[in-house]
Amino acid sequence: MSRTRWRLGLGATAFLVAAGLVPAPAHAEDVTDYAITVDPAAKGAKIDDTMYGVFFEDINRAADGGLYAELVQNRSFEYSTADNSSYTPLTSWTVDGTAQVVNDAGRLNERNRNYLSLAAGSAVTNAGYNTGIHVDEGKKYDFSVWARADAGTALTVSLQDADGTLATARRVAVAKGGWARYKATFTATRTGSNGRLTVSSSAATALDMVSLFPRDTYRGEPNGLRKDLAEKIAALHPGFVRFPGGCLVNTGSMEDYSETSGWQRKRSYQWKDTVGPVEQRATNANFWGYNQSYGLGYYEYFRLSEDIGAMPLPVVPALVTGCGQNQAVVDEALLKRHIQDTLDLIEFANGPASSTWGRKRAQMGHPKPFHLTHIEVGNEENLPNEFFARFKEFRAAIQAKHPDIQVISNSGPDDSGTTFDTVWQLNKDAKVDMVDEHYYNSPQWFLQNNDRYDSYDRSGPKVFLGEYASQGNTFKNGLTEAAFMTGLERNADVVKLASYAPLFANEDYVQWRPDLVWFNNHASWNSANYEVQKLFMNNVGDRVVPSTATGTPSLLAPITGAVGLSTWATTAAYDDVTVTDADGRALLTDDFSSGASQWTHTGGGSWSVQDGQYVQTDVSAENTMVSAGDPSWHDYDLKVKATKEAGKEGFLVAFGVKNTGNYYWWNIGGWNNTQSAVEQAVDGGKSTLVSKPGSVETGRTYDIDVKVRGRQVTLYLDGQEWGSFTDDKPAEPFRQVVTKDQKTGDLIVKVVNAQNAAARTAIDLGRAKVASKARVTTLAAAPDAVNSETSIAVAPVRSTFDGVAGKFSYTFPANSVTFLRIRQK
């Protein structure tokens, strides 16, 4: 199709501007012509009610200090250097007078190891999370504490900030004797986000589980969830909730929390640690660098799933660690224990109240079953054979006792490569029901891979896309994810479940970006990606209506760019760099005998010429790129000698370098020196084009040769071909899918236009008889628009379009996601 310039009619222009649909790019008047043809008589794939869900992992303080409504940080004095090197048992507390954390036989219980010994006339103050404890004027807050005293005494509990009192102080009488729980209620006299909770005692007192909860939790539940965050999950109407991880599941020790294990703190997430009374739950070091109290545990996850009408989907350890640890546990007794724990989990969820674990559920307040139907074993294991051997033992045990439970496997940490291919074949051979795929790639990758599942085996395992995101929270990221989601729906017979990841991020405790919902201690806001997910999840439909669309003209030029050298947490030396064109003429020659004047340093680290080599000497620096040459170079050979001198990884050789955010590099000995891959960076977001296991030896010099021909690249290591790829998939910006809502009869035409030009589109609905008016929901903004606490740049606009017929035209705004709900007569 050709691109032309034209002007919208006055009425259309006024409507779009009034509705806020035109983000006014530089060429807002550009229009590309498209055609969509729908076949309403044909029957496409059925879309399950559980198609889209959410994935909750305690990352970015998503649980404590986040979804879990507790306002006191480190309430049981269990913080430890095992969680974070900066922690002490009094982290987040200040002492006025004398207080010490004690670990002895006088503790509250065996699994709550520490308590606070507070001297007479002394006080402790808790700083909460973020800027402090947030309270709203007129709202109630429930205080509780476990205390033990040798003589009757009284605690004074106050809530204040730098400006004074936030609530009237309360006096709490503590009886002489053993541990008991004491309560009080505050009513906030004004709103504040910098509050501090102080507990003082007139006599020596032991304290534990110092707690302050808003009365106004989600659905008013005790030990409940922060209301605004839970409501954002519920507003998505997710079909499932995957929990609790993630890397929390398959990292650390697989031992339990007991004297036998030496009270092992760095453990995998094990469900039995997280149920029962909160004061009896274990503590644990969170993989992401902080403590997790397990106040938010399996029971609360099941309750949340039930409350929002979603299918619970727990993930249990497979006894093969991942996320950079990559160790298989060889302990048959431990494996059998974890398998039994998984069977017990199913009983906890589904068993009658008369069963052992069903009784535990009933004692917690839920005598009726939770109706668990799916369970996932493992997460992103990078050892395919070791993982799958253990997976089969879990599956056999579950199917023998609970044949109605669907057991989900996974395909490792990447979207392609040797591990991915190996474990997928193992899954196919074993006739696994469903395989979980994870990938975090560049926006361009998502535009290029809309057809990813078109060629998947329809008779093989189904796909659970458990984690995916396009490496950013701009509207451009949301657009490209939306384009990809049209492909997920088109392939709903293969892709049965899908969830963006991660779900939450506390803006002051971030380990991972991007994230779906951002928050602090007093507010939360939806990312642009959230608005895309919500639009799809609230307009899924029940069945795909087959449709076709024309595409955008694409002229793929040769790969062009300069060359580069880099390192990642490694020191390395480079020498004898040559670049020659396809005819053998020299474009660059550098043996560094005269310095490194041809190279420009754009990354981190420290580069210098030493003994005739170009050396990066900062062992902790990441992405230390230096580049040389002309960004217009194409069809060339790059040769270089590289030697790793020290550090965690190997070295990186770049080509097609346009600028700091756009390049290709061959990452040799990456991922803690476990694999090598070619990665492509587009606008700063990276995706993997080809990968293989492999490592680099320290002190050994490697000969590297990269041949670029058109869009074909062949890579040689020490004279042997390592691999090749052709980067010729178009990044199609115009994508669509049509589904049908059986209940209303609506055809839902979903169109993504991820370009700076409007898409004037002829839509042919076949012989469908339709109403003339469509309900329209549009997301449109500048590609770099980002939502924040103070500025919501991306939000849905709802309108009507009174021009629908069997054949009609609609102009989709530049950079937009548009859903047309068309009623069939």
Side-chain angles (χ1 to χ4, degrees), residues 640-642 651 666 668 695 697 700-705 715-722:
V640 59
K641 294 183 183 296
F651 29 77
W666 188 5
I668 305 173
S695 59
E697 297 176 27
R700 175 183 164 188
T701 298
Y702 292 82
D703 288 318
I704 297 165
D705 183 0
L715 307 111
Y716 298 86
L717 191 62
D718 288 337
Q720 301 295 313
E721 183 174 332
W722 176 87

Side-chain angles (χ1 to χ4, degrees), residues 71-133:
L71 298 174
V72 176
Q73 183 175 178
N74 189 19
R75 66 183 178 186
S76 59
F77 311 100
E78 296 289 340
Y79 276 28
S80 163
T81 53
D83 311 325
N84 187 295
S85 60
S86 68
Y87 282 0
T88 75
L90 282 172
T91 291
S92 197
W93 294 92
T94 55
V95 177
D96 183 6
T98 302
Q100 61 178 332
V101 175
V102 181
N103 180 348
D104 65 14
R107 64 179 64 89
L108 179 60
N109 60 68
E110 280 296 288
R111 289 161 70 80
N112 194 330
R113 307 291 293 166
N114 291 347
Y115 65 94
L116 184 75
S117 177
L118 186 64
S122 298
V124 287
T125 299
N126 190 267
Y129 297 93
N130 300 94
T131 57
I133 293 172

Side-chain angles (χ1 to χ4, degrees), residues 113-388:
R113 307 291 293 166
N114 291 347
Y115 65 94
L116 184 75
S117 177
L118 186 64
S122 298
V124 287
T125 299
N126 190 267
Y129 297 93
N130 300 94
T131 57
I133 293 172
H134 174 79
V135 295
D136 289 306
E137 182 178 356
K139 293 288 184 71
K140 293 185 181 299
Y141 297 84
D142 292 324
F143 168 83
S144 66
V145 63
W146 284 81
R148 172 174 56 78
D150 293 334
T153 185
L155 303 176
T156 300
V157 187
S158 60
L159 194 57
Q160 68 285 322
D161 63 13
D163 295 327
T165 299
L166 287 168
T168 302
R170 300 302 306 274
R171 183 178 183 276
V172 178
V174 176
K176 175 183 177 181
W179 287 103
R181 190 180 185 214
Y182 300 91
K183 302 177 182 179
T185 298
F186 290 97
T187 300
T189 55
R190 59 186 176 87
T191 296
S193 296
N194 305 304
R196 300 291 187 268
L197 179 75
T198 298
V199 181
S200 61
S201 179
S202 59
T205 312
L207 304 178
D208 206 346
M209 297 297 291
V210 183
S211 174
L212 186 68
F213 255 88
R215 179 79 57 86
D216 189 19
T217 59
Y218 182 63
R219 298 174 68 94
E221 294 174 354
N223 196 55
L225 306 181
R226 179 170 149 175
K227 189 174 182 179
D228 62 325
L229 297 183
E231 286 177 343
K232 288 187 183 301
I233 301 175
L236 293 170
H237 295 105
F240 65 88
V241 178
R242 177 178 182 251
F243 62 88
C247 288
L248 300 187
V249 169
N250 71 331
T251 53
S253 168
M254 299 294 164
E255 299 286 349
D256 62 1
Y257 191 57
S258 68
E259 185 176 6
T260 303
S261 71
W263 305 106
Q264 177 62 248
R265 284 293 289 265
K266 293 188 174 183
R267 310 184 309 283
S268 64
Y269 196 111
Q270 299 174 45
W271 78 271
K272 289 181 179 178
D273 288 341
T274 76
V275 297
V278 291
E279 69 274 8
Q280 296 177 17
R281 299 183 188 182
T283 189
N284 201 5
N286 183 295
F287 173 79
W288 299 108
Y290 51 91
N291 177 270
Q292 49 191 346
S293 71
Y294 288 144
L296 176 60
Y298 258 70
Y299 178 77
E300 289 74 29
Y301 289 129
F302 277 122
R303 286 297 301 268
L304 171 64
S305 301
E306 181 179 68
D307 287 345
I308 64 177
M311 177 182 77
L313 204 167
V315 186
V316 299
L319 274 71
V320 177
T321 59
C323 301
Q325 296 182 358
N326 299 341
Q327 296 291 324
V329 176
V330 183
D331 185 329
E332 193 63 27
L334 192 57
L335 175 62
K336 283 182 165 45
R337 193 267 286 176
H338 274 265
I339 291 173
Q340 184 58 52
D341 281 355
T342 303
L343 297 176
D344 292 344
L345 171 60
I346 298 170
E347 183 176 283
F348 176 79
N350 293 351
S354 59
S355 65
T356 300
W357 287 100
R359 184 179 304 112
K360 172 72 77 172
R361 181 194 69 239
Q363 290 169 349
M364 294 184 72
H366 201 283
K368 293 182 179 180
F370 283 120
H371 306 295
L372 178 68
T373 58
H374 294 64
I375 195 164
E376 183 172 355
V377 176
N379 171 77
E380 293 188 11
E381 285 74 22
N382 207 24
L383 301 173
N385 294 301
E386 292 86 342
F387 158 70
F388 206 74

Side-chain angles (χ1 to χ4, degrees), residues 531-565:
E531 295 298 347
V532 166
Q533 292 290 323
K534 184 178 179 182
L535 186 57
F536 274 85
M537 292 166 78
N538 283 272
N539 296 275
V540 181
D542 303 286
R543 188 173 290 279
V544 176
V545 180
S547 60
T548 58
T550 54
T552 307
S554 177
L555 298 174
L556 289 174
I559 293 174
T560 59
V563 299
L565 309 171

